[in-house]
Amino acid sequence: MKLRTPISPHIHIRTTVTTVMLRVVAALIPGIVVYAWLFGAGVVINILFAIAVALTCEALMLKARGRPLRPFMSDGSAVVTAVLLAVALPPLSPWWLTLIGIAFAIVVAKHLFGGLGHNPFNPAMVAYVMLLISFPREMVLWAPPTALAEPPLDLMETLRAIFLGHYPGALSIDALSMATPLDQVKTQLGLEQSVAQTLAASPAFGILAGRGWEWINLAFLAGGVWLLRKRIIGWQIPVAMLGALAAMATIFYVIDPEHYASPLFHLLSGAAILGAFFIATDPVTAATTPRGRLIFGAGIGILTYVIRTWGGYPDGVAFAVLLMNMAAPTIDYYTQPRVYGRK
Amino acid sequence: MALSGSAGQESGPGVNAKLWRFHGGVHPPQHKAESTGAPVRRARLPKRLVLPLHQHIGEAAEPVVVKGEQVLKGQMIARANGYVSAAVHAPTSGVVLDIGDYPVAHPSGLSASCIVIESDGEERWVERTPVEDYTAINPSHMRNMIREAGIVGLGGAGFPSFIKLNPGPGKVVDTLILNGIECEPYITCDDMLMRERPQDIIAGIHILRHALQAKECVIAIEDNKPDAYRIMSEAVASEEKIRVALCPTIYPQGSEKQLVQVLTGKEVPSNGLPIHVGVVLHNVGTAYAVHRAIHLNEPLISRYVTITGDAMGQTCNLEVLFGTPIIDLLDECAADMARLDRLIVGGPMMGFAMHTVNAPVVKTTNCVLATTTQAMPAAQTAMPCIRCGACMDVCPVNLLPQQLYWHSHAKEFERAQEYSLFDCIECGCCAYVCPSNIPLVQYYRYAKAEIWAQEREKDRADLARRRHEFRIERMEREKAERAARLQKKKADVAAGGTKQKGDDKDSKKNAIQAAVERARVKKEAVTNEADPSSEVEDSDKKLD
């Protein structure tokens, strides 16, 4: 009789890395559904294509690095990266844009830095920034919400647009796209228009923020709250990030509402909600101590506002996340909690 | 703090006392009901008993019997060796078969020195002198009696109890905590003891309080033991300054420092002891053993042991004589030896898996947990840490287990110490919740062991360096002195030439004169002696 002699504890809860990752994906679904409902099938096609590319790259890299395929392919981390990057890309992005982005995220940002658990930067955001810098034109060609498009593309037209670059009729991608609300506010402010004038003049704006975007963001918020309740993420990062963003927006909005958008507009536009609950909370790259998470989240919120308002890009979540990723180890070191029995 | 369960409605003393919370903690499945169905009975008398000399924290005991000697039940067979040590007694009457190395219940799986007794089946006791009135004995003598009885903490650590009954000069014990928490899953021996022997435990508490001069006593019981709570509450109803605290079940509440926090709101300082905040803790089983040692004059020779696990045919609690081989218990409780996969001594959170079924039950064996792969499947492959912080959320010491892991893994031991590695109590909460299935406790033990080894190495190196430096210094000093002497000689030679010999004689003469002078001075005035002697010493040196 051979007795096994593992070290204590001898029991374990059921949660695994796969559980954690799949719950994150599940929490993204409501937002994706609303997104696809408003922007068409391109959203879903992008995501599925991105997942396929991500898993392929993951398998190739695991093989190249001599890591076992089974545990790492089933951990779900590549899927999370794929979905997060795909929802950040314009819905009618050409296939090669997605391919380059995902390959860069998995191969460079993740595996070249040591793979799961070792990458200092959020892979999806590294890839997003790389695409934004390398392909600025493609990255801002957002199709309008289907309600504003005339006529909306059907499934086959969408597939042709993404994979063949063929657009219905004599239209080009430029004709099909329009600026995002954040983009529009930024451009119009540059043209000496007030925020209120911009919002009133364009059909791209809805009740709370950008038309459609407000509902997508509320759906992502619902998913994020569910993750909080399931204790997959802590409350510190989302609360600190959104709180800091809202605080910054409130200060400037109170001072000068003509030239600064409202806090609500900032919270429900761009990647603020997605970033707060799904991107900044990536445990591998975020600060890990409770107080550190508050500082980390607040830093992202402040930087996002700064970049949106005074920077060169309409949204700043990706840059803000990467900048704070850099600061995370230092933040952790200086925010150790007080240990039992120590002063 | 909400008190859940029917026990919360009991109107025993202590229900309304304020309780605090410690950080973190986990709620593993309890598995307590399996072993509390039947009353505790005595395990069968084994043919051979194997008694390790080291069943406690501290120095191993020293045998006082020889091979072939007849021993009586309760007779001391090994005496405490030094202050932190505990005596061992014969659990039954018989013959000493051997004194030598046998397999013991230790994580290393190594053997250790044991005394083997073959029982004669007669259970003949040594002569006992029970104490009628414990208050007539002074605390110091009382501690010595407890020491002679070989009593160690029965909660699991096995620290000699008499030491914890000596708070030291100037220390006041505000609270004596009787630990009946038993927070590890599966284990129920304290539960059963409290249900079956409440009066004996109270009698033991009286003795402990007398020895400690403690102001008040709290018996702490988790709310997953409503029967024990009710019985103990009834037992203390007429007692003064003894109350029962019902604590919401959470692991590791039974850990000393955590329990002090729950009951008093105070934190035991890092590297400190509960006595530093006016608290002393003893296990309820220890109180019971103390009662038997004083009132019946029976040394510690047996204990309640929980026999449980899904590989066990019969799950129960047994009163087991120390030295009883675990295989005997497996036999008696019809363990399924074919499916037995893991044999754990202690609980599933902190107990250790044994290499052999032949090791004996010792003073610290509170539970024998025999499981199959069904109840405790092999751990899944460990994945990389994703720094999710689940470990941090459950750490009862408020450490950052993810950082400790990171630095231990990278062998950055100094960094690990900056993150308070040595405050880790190895309770296993972090590893229990880790989604990456990392055996975290193993890394911390490894890091601690490496640091200890490095410190020992450093101490040795320091000593060697100091010796070396001292030697170099001495050699240089001697060299300088030699050179100075040589110089002086040369100078003398140059200056004196032929006169040198005469000078030498003169100086000798002077020295003798000085000695004579000194003796005379001493004779004349005994008090005045410092100056001439030092002068003479100087001239003596020059003569060498």
Side-chain angles (χ1 to χ4, degrees):
Chain A
M1 177 188 40
K2 181 87 185 92
L3 291 173
R4 272 188 315 119
T5 56
I7 203 162
S8 63
H10 302 277
I11 48 177
H12 199 274
I13 54 162
R14 290 236 176 82
T15 313
T16 62
V17 175
T18 312
T19 325
V20 173
M21 297 294 172
L22 291 187
R23 283 193 176 155
V24 172
V25 173
L28 283 163
I29 289 174
I32 292 170
V33 167
V34 178
Y35 191 12
W37 179 262
L38 291 169
F39 284 84
V43 174
V44 179
I45 293 166
N46 264 356
I47 290 171
L48 295 178
F49 179 63
I51 292 174
V53 175
L55 289 176
T56 310
C57 292
E58 181 88 357
L60 290 174
M61 286 311 289
L62 287 172
K63 217 159 167 55
R65 295 178 57 220
R67 294 292 191 276
L69 280 184
R70 185 191 269 210
F72 286 100
M73 285 302 286
S74 61
D75 67 25
S77 60
V79 176
V80 171
T81 302
V83 176
L84 286 177
L85 180 59
V87 297
L89 296 178
L92 287 180
S93 295
W95 62 274
W96 53 265
L97 191 74
T98 312
L99 178 86
I100 292 171
I102 296 290
F104 193 76
I106 301 291
V107 175
V108 178
K110 184 180 181 183
H111 280 286
L112 292 190
F113 280 97
L116 179 69
H118 294 89
N119 48 299
F121 298 103
N122 187 312
M125 290 304 98
V126 170
Y128 179 84
V129 166
M130 184 277 288
L131 291 176
L132 193 61
I133 293 167
S134 312
F135 308 100
R137 182 170 160 274
E138 283 78 7
M139 289 299 282
V140 295
L141 291 175
W142 285 80
T146 44
L148 298 179
E150 284 299 335
L153 302 185
D154 66 18
L155 181 63
M156 283 317 289
E157 285 168 338
T158 311
L159 280 171
R160 269 200 294 274
I162 292 174
F163 289 102
L164 302 172
H166 293 169
Y167 298 94
L171 294 172
S172 72
I173 179 69
D174 298 291
L176 273 173
S177 65
M178 64 185 283
T180 62
L182 272 175
D183 214 357
Q184 219 153 345
V185 168
K186 192 169 197 89
T187 321
Q188 295 301 316
L189 280 173
L191 299 173
E192 302 294 323
Q193 299 278 311
S194 79
V195 173
Q197 281 170 327
T198 314
L199 297 190
S202 169
F205 296 95
I207 309 159
L208 304 171
R211 175 181 288 208
W213 288 107
E214 55 206 9
W215 305 118
I216 295 170
N217 277 324
L218 287 174
F220 279 134
L221 178 64
V225 170
W226 180 76
L227 278 187
L228 272 181
R229 287 186 54 102
K230 285 279 166 190
R231 292 170 175 268
I232 298 294
I233 58 172
W235 61 270
Q236 290 95 342
I237 292 175
V239 168
M241 173 178 161
L242 296 177
L245 179 62
M248 289 290 285
T250 307
I251 292 167
F252 287 97
Y253 184 67
V254 166
I255 295 170
D256 183 2
E258 285 279 292
H259 293 98
Y260 296 96
S262 74
L264 202 57
F265 178 82
H266 271 287
L267 290 178
L268 293 179
S269 294
I273 299 285
L274 187 72
F277 287 95
F278 296 93
I279 295 167
T281 51
D282 165 27
V284 175
T285 56
T288 187
T289 68
R291 272 190 303 145
R293 285 171 175 177
L294 285 173
I295 296 169
F296 178 84
I300 294 174
I302 292 167
L303 285 172
T304 298
Y305 186 82
V306 168
I307 297 168
R308 277 182 180 183
T309 311
W310 301 290
Y313 290 92
D315 203 355
V317 173
F319 292 103
V321 166
L322 293 182
L323 285 169
M324 291 310 290
N325 283 166
M326 266 189 253
T330 312
I331 294 174
D332 282 338
Y333 185 76
Y334 288 104
T335 54
Q336 298 178 34
R338 189 186 67 83
V339 171
Y340 176 105
R342 285 182 184 257
K343 293 283 177 301
Chain B
M1 185 168 286
L3 297 171
S4 59
S6 58
Q9 273 119 51
E10 300 285 339
S11 56
V15 168
N16 297 320
K18 180 173 165 53
L19 295 177
W20 285 259
R21 273 211 59 131
F22 59 90
H23 182 268
V26 293
H27 295 92
Q30 292 292 309
H31 292 289
K32 301 251 188 193
E34 286 98 312
S35 53
T36 53
V40 180
R41 60 169 208 275
R42 285 186 169 204
R44 285 199 295 252
L45 181 67
K47 285 201 185 65
R48 264 167 40 129
L49 297 95
V50 181
L51 294 138
L53 297 171
H54 197 214
Q55 307 184 27
H56 47 265
I57 288 175
E59 287 294 309
E62 204 175 17
V64 291
V65 291
V66 292
K67 204 165 152 180
E69 190 173 331
Q70 287 280 340
V71 292
L72 295 170
K73 188 181 175 96
Q75 179 184 333
M76 189 186 285
I77 53 173
R79 65 161 174 255
N81 182 14
Y83 186 66
V84 186
S85 185
V88 180
H89 301 77
T92 186
S93 56
V95 179
V96 175
L97 272 189
D98 190 19
I99 300 177
D101 283 0
Y102 287 85
V104 294
H106 190 271
S108 67
L110 297 173
S111 297
S113 306
C114 299
I115 297 175
V116 184
I117 294 175
E118 185 177 47
S119 62
D120 58 15
E122 291 174 28
E123 297 267 57
R124 276 176 297 133
W125 271 96
V126 286
E127 198 183 320
R128 283 162 289 169
T129 47
V131 170
E132 292 284 322
D133 178 14
Y134 70 89
T135 53
I137 308 172
N138 78 35
S140 166
H141 184 51
M142 179 95 74
R143 283 194 285 273
N144 205 39
M145 291 175 76
I146 289 168
R147 179 169 197 241
E148 289 291 299
I151 296 175
V152 302
L154 294 180
F159 189 74
S161 297
F162 78 95
I163 299 174
K164 275 165 75 175
L165 289 173
N166 188 4
K171 296 237 169 58
V172 177
V173 181
D174 297 319
T175 313
L176 165 65
I177 295 175
L178 259 281
N179 191 342
I181 291 288
E182 205 166 52
C183 59
E184 274 258 18
Y186 287 97
I187 308 179
T188 56
C189 58
D190 289 347
D191 185 5
M192 294 308 283
L193 186 72
M194 288 188 285
R195 292 195 211 182
E196 298 191 351
R197 308 278 182 173
Q199 291 309 330
D200 292 347
I201 294 172
I202 305 287
I205 291 173
H206 287 149
I207 299 169
L208 294 175
R209 277 188 71 186
H210 177 65
L212 286 165
Q213 300 293 312
K215 288 183 193 159
E216 60 147 4
C217 172
V218 185
I219 303 168
I221 303 174
E222 279 195 341
D223 63 8
N224 60 1
K225 291 180 265 297
D227 289 339
Y229 174 71
R230 180 177 47 80
I231 290 165
M232 290 308 293
S233 297
E234 283 164 15
V236 301
S238 58
E239 299 285 336
E240 259 181 51
K241 296 272 182 189
I242 302 182
R243 62 187 175 87
V244 183
L246 189 65
C247 309
T249 300
I250 185 166
Y251 177 87
Q253 186 156 235
S255 163
E256 266 196 359
K257 292 183 169 185
Q258 278 59 42
L259 187 55
V260 168
Q261 188 171 23
V262 167
L263 294 177
T264 68
K266 295 175 197 161
E267 287 183 14
V268 179
S270 176
N271 293 323
L273 295 169
I275 187 66
H276 296 141
V277 289
V279 179
V280 170
L281 294 96
H282 284 280
N283 181 265
V284 287
T286 310
Y288 175 69
V290 164
H291 153 72
R292 293 191 79 88
I294 302 296
H295 290 136
L296 306 172
N297 196 21
E298 284 181 14
L300 186 62
I301 54 168
S302 70
R303 66 165 297 151
Y304 281 18
V305 180
T306 303
I307 311 292
T308 189
D310 70 331
M312 212 63 95
Q314 213 180 77
T315 50
C316 56
N317 276 276
L318 296 177
E319 189 181 347
V320 184
L321 295 177
F322 300 141
T324 304
I326 288 173
I327 182 72
D328 285 21
L329 301 175
L330 295 175
D331 270 350
E332 184 169 349
C333 296
D336 183 347
M337 299 301 277
R339 289 174 65 226
L340 176 63
D341 171 64
R342 236 187 270 211
L343 182 63
I344 298 165
V345 166
M349 293 299 287
M350 287 186 81
F352 55 90
M354 306 244 290
H355 294 77
T356 166
V357 293
N358 295 316
V361 166
V362 296
K363 293 174 182 177
T364 52
T365 312
N366 49 11
C367 179
V368 174
L369 176 54
T371 61
T372 70
T373 47
Q374 212 169 350
M376 289 183 194
Q380 292 182 9
T381 330
M383 296 287 283
C385 171
I386 55 168
R387 301 168 63 74
C388 64
C391 48
M392 166 183 80
D393 293 338
V394 298
C395 178
V397 188
N398 210 12
L399 296 168
L400 294 173
Q402 70 272 47
Q403 304 292 71
L404 286 175
Y405 163 69
W406 189 265
H407 296 303
S408 302
H409 187 93
K411 303 190 180 177
E412 296 166 351
F413 299 125
E414 274 180 23
R415 229 41 207 297
Q417 277 177 284
E418 283 176 28
Y419 283 94
S420 311
L421 172 69
F422 283 95
D423 287 79
C424 168
I425 58 170
E426 299 177 17
C427 64
C429 287
C430 50
Y432 173 70
V433 300
C434 177
S436 292
N437 274 295
I438 301 169
L440 292 162
V441 177
Q442 197 171 339
Y443 280 96
Y444 308 149
R445 286 189 191 155
Y446 162 74
K448 287 179 187 175
E450 284 294 307
I451 292 167
W452 283 325
Q454 279 177 9
E455 274 172 9
R456 273 195 302 273
E457 191 55 41
K458 193 170 161 286
D459 285 350
R460 261 203 300 273
D462 275 353
L463 191 64
R465 186 176 48 74
R466 277 202 302 275
R467 277 187 185 147
H468 177 69
E469 280 169 4
F470 182 74
R471 182 164 172 268
I472 296 285
E473 195 188 297
R474 181 170 53 85
M475 278 162 63
E476 273 172 4
R477 194 184 63 226
E478 284 173 358
K479 200 174 151 192
E481 281 171 5
R482 255 201 312 275
R485 270 204 303 275
L486 202 63
Q487 195 99 44
K488 191 167 179 292
K489 245 181 190 165
K490 271 181 186 161
D492 286 351
V493 169
T498 51
K499 274 186 182 176
Q500 194 222 347
K501 235 179 179 179
D503 277 0
D504 210 27
K505 272 180 185 165
D506 278 356
S507 73
K508 266 183 190 163
K509 228 178 237 173
N510 288 343
I512 292 160
Q513 203 117 49
V516 171
E517 179 75 3
R518 183 185 57 185
R520 193 182 57 77
V521 169
K522 250 187 188 168
K523 258 181 205 164
E524 280 176 4
V526 187
T527 45
N528 184 15
E529 60 189 352
D531 288 349
S533 71
S534 69
E535 249 180 52
V536 172
E537 257 173 34
D538 281 349
S539 63
D540 278 349
K541 265 184 197 159
K542 277 170 201 154
L543 284 173
D544 283 346

